[in-house]
Amino acid sequence: ISSYSGAQTDAPFGVSMSAEEAAAQASAIVSQLTDELTLCFTAPAVTFSENTARFWGWGCVFMRNINGAQTLYTCEDVGSNMESELSAPVRYEKIILVLDDAGLLSFEWTSPMTVTAVENPDAALLPFSEIAARAMQQVPLSYAYLQEQDIGAQVTFYRAELGLMRVARQDAESYYFLPVWHLYSEVTYSDAYYAQYGKPEDAKRVLVGEDGSYLGGMYDGDIQNYGSITLNALDGSVIDKHLGY
């Protein structure tokens, strides 16, 4: 077992196998262990091990699937605060394999869990039009700082994903998996703002040595997650990812 982080690059350095080939190999391995977790994310990865000088591979992430509904996952930590010690002392269950051309680089099965009951197998979800309207109502609250920084800024939603999120049960040491919508957004600042403060630097890229060694530039978390709004798909209520409910 070794550490894993998603790397912001198009493909792992020095690895010829495709993401699809890695996903197929990883799925064959995991299918021998469990049929309750399914592949939900594949991305270039850097892993560190004392037993090998190999660094790069395809990271394949498997998370719990309940009644055909997949746990949402966009990066190792499911956002910058989803698994903080404050909000989630028990990390999400997931299997992460990193593979390269020579085979398996690392394997990790975090926080194995058991689903004890499915309380509502046919839950009725709100129409997406209502979810979208509530997300628009949330923008002034989520981006309140823009009123002071840049009154001319624009917020654009560019992706919406439906899936399961783990929410703590009140006064209990267990969790619900609830269907939620993650709506991802980004901010476009006005020309006046850029003229005063300058444009932000491009997202940090991975730095690689001539031998393929990792020199820096990895990031923790998918930058697309930082501008997301999460709504309960059953009633439209806002879920604070910092708090986990």
Side-chain angles (χ1 to χ4, degrees), residues 171-225:
D171 300 325
E173 295 182 355
S174 57
Y175 299 88
Y176 286 116
F177 273 90
L178 294 178
V180 303
W181 281 101
H182 280 343
L183 296 103
Y184 298 90
S185 57
E186 60 185 2
V187 177
T188 302
Y189 292 95
S190 67
D191 292 340
Y193 176 88
Y194 288 136
Q196 182 174 357
Y197 297 105
K199 289 191 175 183
E201 296 180 355
D202 291 336
K204 187 183 294 184
R205 303 295 293 183
V206 173
L207 303 178
V208 181
E210 293 182 359
D211 61 350
S213 60
Y214 164 72
L215 299 179
M218 250 181 339
Y219 70 98
D220 290 325
D222 187 332
I223 56 175
Q224 296 174 342
N225 237 338

Side-chain angles (χ1 to χ4, degrees), residues 72 163-167 175-181 232-234 239:
L72 281 177
L164 299 177
M165 176 179 171
R166 196 184 68 189
V167 178
Y175 299 88
Y176 286 116
F177 273 90
L178 294 178
V180 303
W181 281 101
N232 187 324
L234 301 177
I239 296 178

Side-chain angles (χ1 to χ4, degrees), residues 55-133:
F55 299 98
W56 289 90
W58 287 103
C60 301
V61 182
F62 296 73
M63 295 193 78
R64 187 163 289 278
N65 187 302
I66 303 172
N67 279 5
Q70 179 69 58
T71 303
L72 281 177
Y73 186 95
T74 55
C75 66
E76 181 183 3
D77 291 323
V78 199
S80 57
N81 297 288
M82 287 281 288
E83 293 193 330
S84 68
E85 294 180 359
L86 176 63
S87 63
V90 179
R91 299 176 72 82
Y92 272 77
E93 178 184 17
K94 52 185 171 285
I95 294 177
I96 300 176
L97 299 88
V98 180
L99 302 100
D100 66 0
D101 296 330
L104 186 64
L105 268 173
S106 67
F107 175 92
E108 179 181 355
W109 192 338
T110 303
S111 304
M113 296 182 179
T114 301
V115 176
T116 58
V118 178
E119 295 187 0
N120 191 347
D122 297 309
L125 306 185
L126 287 178
F128 182 73
S129 58
E130 188 169 342
I131 292 292

Side-chain angles (χ1 to χ4, degrees), residues 6-71:
Q8 189 180 351
T9 185
D10 296 329
F13 182 85
V15 176
S16 62
M17 73 186 310
S18 66
E20 292 75 18
E21 291 171 330
Q25 291 186 27
S27 296
I29 294 172
V30 172
S31 67
Q32 301 177 54
L33 304 173
T34 178
D35 59 1
E36 296 183 356
L37 277 68
T38 58
L39 180 68
C40 60
F41 188 76
T42 303
V46 174
T47 188
F48 301 96
S49 173
E50 297 178 356
N51 301 320
T52 179
R54 291 145 59 197
F55 299 98
W56 289 90
W58 287 103
C60 301
V61 182
F62 296 73
M63 295 193 78
R64 187 163 289 278
N65 187 302
I66 303 172
N67 279 5
Q70 179 69 58
T71 303

